[in-house]
């Protein structure tokens, strides 16, 4: 019995000693929230739109997926955006410890990690592109609840993620009912009205969004550079810029 016990202990020791040590990055992970407009006003099948959105998706995944725990989460913008999560992709790639490794082994460890990470990035790109190209055939496409994305962003920041929100949208809020905005039927006429509406809405929203201030906002509109102001209303951009500022987000939204 003693011989068997000693053998088991020795085997267990060998098993533990052969496990690969991994490097744990203690810094916060990045959560990339992609809000894809699936309302009737955005057609991602147009060549210009599809190419523009594809480039942004590829770039953000390359830039933001860098270690285990970094993730990409896709939501559809329509009548109930907050409940429209369609996929969540989390990186599992781990880098082995380079402690005590010689130069050759260190380079092999780095190469192995980079290859694993790139495989994941490529998988993520395909998954997100599948969501971009999917069609919304339900009645939900007749509304655009962009404001519904704000609690989603706030929640990710509160979890401790470096949170980056990407809106692939014309940013035309279109919801019916009391205390709602419908920029299709009643758009802001100028910057003054846009700023006034943003201030009004921020008073209502801010108490519910106490963590959102550190989020980074990126807006990718489906308009060509020659689009008219009737199609790409500058006052709508002013509304969102002012609203995010009123909510405490220090950096202005970046248009990509």
């Amino acid at each position: 019995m003693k011989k068997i016990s000693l053998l088991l202990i020795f085997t267990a020791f060998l098993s533990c000693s052969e496990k690969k040590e991994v490097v744990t990055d203690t810094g916060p992970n990045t959560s990339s929230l992609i809000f894809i407009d699936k309302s009737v006003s955005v057609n991602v099948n147009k060549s210009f739109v599809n190419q523009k959105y594809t480039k942004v998706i590829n770039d953000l995944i390359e830039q933001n997926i860098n270690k285990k725990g970094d993730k990409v989460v896709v939501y559809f913008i329509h009548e109930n955006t907050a409940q429209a999560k369609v996929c969540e992709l989390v990186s599992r790639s781990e880098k082995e410890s380079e402690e005590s490794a010689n130069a050759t082994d260190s380079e092999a460890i780095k190469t192995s990690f980079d290859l694993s990470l790139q495989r994941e990035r490529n998988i993520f790109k395909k998954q997100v592109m599948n969501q971009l190209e999917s069609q919304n055939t339900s009645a939900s496409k007749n509304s655009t609840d962009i404001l519904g994305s704000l609690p989603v962003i706030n929640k990710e920041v509160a979890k401790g993620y470096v949170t980056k929100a990407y809106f692939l949208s014309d940013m035309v809020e279109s919801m019916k009912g009391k205390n709602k905005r419908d920029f299709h039927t009643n758009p802001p006429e100028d910057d003054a009205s846009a700023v006034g509406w943003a201030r009004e809405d921020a008073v209502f929203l801010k108490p519910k969004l106490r963590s959102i201030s550190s989020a980074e906002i990126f807006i990718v509109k489906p308009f060509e550079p020659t689009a008219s102001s009737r199609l790409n209303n500058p006052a709508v951009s002013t509304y969102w810029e002012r609203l995010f500022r009123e909510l405490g987000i220090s950096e202005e939204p970046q248009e990509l």
Side-chain angles (χ1 to χ4, degrees), residues 15 51 63-64 73 121 123 129 138 143 152 157 159 250:
S15 177
Q51 289 177 17
Q63 294 164 10
N64 298 344
V73 190
R121 287 172 179 156
I123 292 170
M129 285 304 301
S138 73
S143 299
V152 175
V157 176
K159 290 177 182 177
S250 56

Side-chain angles (χ1 to χ4, degrees), residues 21 70 92 104 173 223:
E21 185 181 353
D70 288 345
R92 303 298 182 193
T104 301
E173 179 81 5
F223 304 125

